[in-house]
Amino acid sequence: MDNNRRFVLKTLASSSMALAGLSACTNNALTDILVTDAAPVDDWLQAQIIRDSIIVPKFPEKEFNIEAFGAINDGKFDCTSAINDAIQACHQAGGGKVIIPEGKFFTGAIHLLSNVNLHLADKAILSFSTDPNHYLPAVFTRWEGVEMMGYSPLIYSYKQKNIAITGNGTLEGNADNNTWWPWKGPHKEAHWQLIAGEDQKPARTQLIQDAEDNVPVQDRKYSEGAFLRPPFIQPYLCENVLVEGITIKNSPFWLLNPVLCKHVRVTGVTFLSHGPNSDGFDPESCDHVYIDNCLFDTGDDCIAIKSGRNADGRRLATPCENIVIENCHMKEGHGGVVIGSEISGGVNNVFVQNCTMDSPYLERAIRIKTNSIRGGLIEHIRVRNIDVGTVKNAIVVNFYYEKGDIGKFDPTVRDIKIEKLHCKNVLDKALYLRGFERAPMYDIHLIDCKFDAVAKPSIVEHVKNFTLTAVFINGKEISNNT
């Protein structure tokens, strides 16, 4: 179903429905559709318009070398004050580059300010402390889609405009099986040490309950003693964000997590981290995002598009929208391009093209994950020209993620088109599509797709208007009745 078409909705799951267009956010089930005869908008022209309209920040030619502010290149001296002083001076001077020169510089939390480009020279390493005290005082942050006061992200920016992290250097988070990652606690995939009394589960459970109880965010205090790991980079409520060229390694938690940002550009970045919840790029409730030519080798989802969790996501009601992903390579991870699971604010207008994926440890290529607790309106997703080597499951849309069907916020998933996706070695299933009988997914279209060396039959449950055109599994063309 094309994005410019109008829906006439009947028999809704609840009493109200936003009719302001396809970017509106709702959890109501669509049970009847009437479409106008308006001419369709070309999907990939729409993607081009999004790319061209993103504002990429530009900076004055002034430079502020952190060594001039007292930073020492020995990997041991605490350069936190020197780096943040350089950022402050650059900001006050109207902007420019804060230079991290060649060498290894040890630091705690870095807070970016407007009109500052944090630039890592060739062979520059920012090596971050693993002491949680270096990420205090607590800041206003979002953790797994819920707002709280928590440890500062390693690099953080709040309500700033025109910010960047660029260069060919490395951000080293130093998280490993003995630091940060043990806070995940017991898990079936655990390769980290378990430390008595250091487990995120109690605080995570309480934080989610706080959101359900509408506890004010300033009273949700989850830094010291909570064991909720900070993300590596989190611009929050920022505009015009650029991340270019750098390598991000060994993060405590998610690697790059812009939240409620407008105009985000990510290009040529290498994401390397194999800890728990080591998502690579997680745009959350953002508008106008363009990511290209990036490499992902991660312990969780490579790219995961999000919009807030449960009550908090519905309270803010801000979708993640107008997103273009292209020319990226995904290696190990739970999913290549993923939507969810913190999805309560909805997602729309996502365009993915010309990407490659390949690893026996890549669990899914294209994935949407939600449930009747998360809900969310997910629509107008376009995917084409994806070349996958080895993957466990190729295309997954699952309404039973995690806790499954125990809530009252049915997801709405509709208008998905996947073209020219070729998987050479599918270790499990080509398709795993599970909607609800009372709230099926709609308008799922696969065109010119091939799935080879598929080990098990697909599962397709409760999908309306599901079409297959030139789709082959193990060399055999399949139809909806196959």
Side-chain angles (χ1 to χ4, degrees):
M1 183 173 303
D2 294 300
N3 193 40
N4 68 320
R5 294 183 177 181
R6 174 174 62 89
F7 298 100
V8 176
L9 309 179
K10 302 176 183 178
T11 318
L12 303 178
S14 63
S15 60
S16 64
M17 176 70 179
L19 295 176
L22 292 180
S23 63
C25 177
T26 178
N27 293 300
N28 298 323
L30 174 65
T31 58
D32 194 14
I33 303 176
L34 179 65
V35 183
T36 70
D37 294 325
V41 172
D42 179 86
D43 290 317
W44 298 101
L45 175 59
Q46 192 175 0
Q48 181 67 51
I49 291 169
I50 293 169
R51 286 196 299 264
D52 292 346
S53 63
I54 289 176
I55 300 171
V56 178
K58 296 181 179 179
F59 303 91
E61 293 300 321
K62 291 173 285 190
E63 294 187 354
F64 300 77
N65 191 310
I66 63 170
E67 290 182 315
F69 291 81
I72 296 175
N73 166 22
D74 65 358
K76 298 178 182 179
F77 179 81
D78 187 348
C79 301
T80 308
S81 294
I83 295 170
N84 284 302
D85 286 349
I87 290 170
Q88 186 67 241
C90 180
H91 169 69
Q92 291 178 347
K97 282 184 180 179
V98 170
I99 303 295
I100 312 297
E102 179 179 337
K104 187 175 184 179
F105 298 88
F106 176 78
T107 185
I110 294 173
H111 288 189
L112 280 179
L113 300 174
S114 292
N115 303 312
V116 174
N117 176 3
L118 184 68
H119 183 79
L120 282 74
D122 294 356
K123 299 182 181 179
I125 300 173
L126 270 181
S127 180
F128 284 82
S129 172
T130 58
D131 181 352
N133 292 316
H134 286 165
Y135 303 95
L136 294 172
V139 300
F140 186 98
T141 184
R142 214 182 205 186
W143 195 88
E144 283 195 352
V146 181
E147 291 184 329
M148 68 172 195
M149 304 301 297
Y151 286 116
S152 171
L154 280 56
I155 299 178
Y156 177 70
S157 190
Y158 182 67
K159 290 187 175 180
Q160 303 298 305
K161 187 173 183 178
N162 301 325
I163 58 173
I165 307 170
T166 66
N168 295 319
T170 298
L171 301 176
E172 172 59 76
N174 291 307
D176 59 25
N177 288 332
N178 300 299
T179 59
W180 289 123
W181 295 349
W183 289 7
K184 173 71 174 182
H187 191 271
K188 63 182 180 180
E189 297 178 0
H191 48 77
W192 48 89
Q193 298 296 317
L194 297 180
I195 301 173
E198 297 187 4
D199 184 350
Q200 69 180 25
K201 186 176 180 180
R204 180 179 186 267
T205 301
Q206 186 58 52
L207 173 62
I208 294 169
Q209 189 60 50
D210 283 353
E212 297 300 316
D213 295 340
N214 202 29
V215 173
V217 175
Q218 62 268 25
D219 294 332
R220 304 175 193 174
K221 297 178 180 179
Y222 287 92
S223 54
E224 295 173 276
F227 306 107
L228 300 183
R229 295 160 287 144
F232 205 134
I233 304 171
Q234 188 183 73
Y236 203 108
L237 280 167
C238 293
E239 293 184 38
N240 311 341
V241 178
L242 171 66
V243 182
E244 180 177 21
I246 61 171
T247 296
I248 309 171
K249 297 177 65 177
N250 301 319
S251 177
F253 192 60
W254 298 348
L255 278 70
L256 175 54
N257 174 217
V259 178
L260 293 160
C261 292
K262 294 183 178 180
H263 299 282
V264 178
R265 180 77 172 95
V266 181
T267 182
V269 175
T270 299
F271 298 83
L272 301 174
S273 186
H274 284 273
N277 309 108
S278 281
D279 290 19
F281 178 50
D282 288 9
E284 194 168 5
S285 299
C286 293
D287 184 9
H288 280 74
V289 178
Y290 177 30
I291 176 170
D292 75 326
N293 292 298
C294 292
L295 170 67
F296 296 87
D297 192 352
T298 61
D300 209 311
D301 295 327
C302 298
I303 296 176
I305 302 166
K306 301 176 181 290
S307 59
R309 181 183 187 124
N310 304 358
D312 245 32
R314 289 183 281 273
R315 173 175 62 86
L316 294 173
T318 306
C320 208
E321 58 189 353
N322 302 316
I323 299 166
V324 179
I325 300 164
E326 58 187 17
N327 300 315
C328 291
H329 180 61
M330 290 80 171
K331 297 173 72 175
E332 187 169 338
H334 285 184
V337 176
V338 177
I339 296 174
S341 64
E342 294 83 7
I343 199 63
S344 303
V347 165
N348 67 83
N349 284 356
V350 177
F351 303 88
V352 184
Q353 66 174 341
N354 304 329
C355 292
T356 57
M357 308 179 186
D358 185 20
S359 171
Y361 304 104
L362 180 65
E363 296 189 12
R364 301 119 183 138
I366 306 297
R367 183 186 191 191
I368 297 174
K369 49 182 175 178
T370 183
N371 57 37
S372 59
I373 304 173
R374 308 287 169 92
L377 168 61
I378 302 164
E379 63 180 352
H380 201 69
I381 313 299
R382 297 293 182 265
V383 179
R384 72 175 182 181
N385 301 334
I386 308 297
D387 190 6
V388 182
T390 297
V391 68
K392 184 177 179 182
N393 294 291
I395 300 173
V396 176
V397 183
N398 184 16
F399 285 19
Y400 292 87
Y401 176 75
E402 206 172 63
K403 292 187 177 181
D405 185 16
I406 61 171
K408 57 182 181 179
F409 300 95
D410 289 343
T412 298
V413 175
R414 62 192 183 203
D415 189 17
I416 299 171
K417 184 185 291 185
I418 300 175
E419 303 178 73
K420 292 182 170 60
L421 185 148
H422 184 197
C423 298
K424 297 180 179 67
N425 185 24
V426 181
L427 302 177
D428 201 333
K429 299 176 179 65
L431 309 176
Y432 185 90
L433 311 179
R434 296 189 68 204
F436 295 147
E437 183 176 8
R438 66 182 181 277
M441 61 189 81
Y442 284 81
D443 300 320
I444 313 295
H445 308 291
L446 305 186
I447 303 167
D448 194 14
C449 294
K450 296 180 182 179
F451 308 92
D452 298 329
V454 179
K456 296 181 182 179
S458 294
I459 294 176
V460 177
E461 298 175 355
H462 307 305
V463 185
K464 288 193 174 182
N465 193 22
F466 177 44
T467 67
L468 301 165
T469 305
V471 175
F472 294 82
I473 295 181
N474 291 338
K476 180 181 178 182
E477 187 170 7
I478 62 171
S479 69
N480 300 61
N481 298 319
T482 301

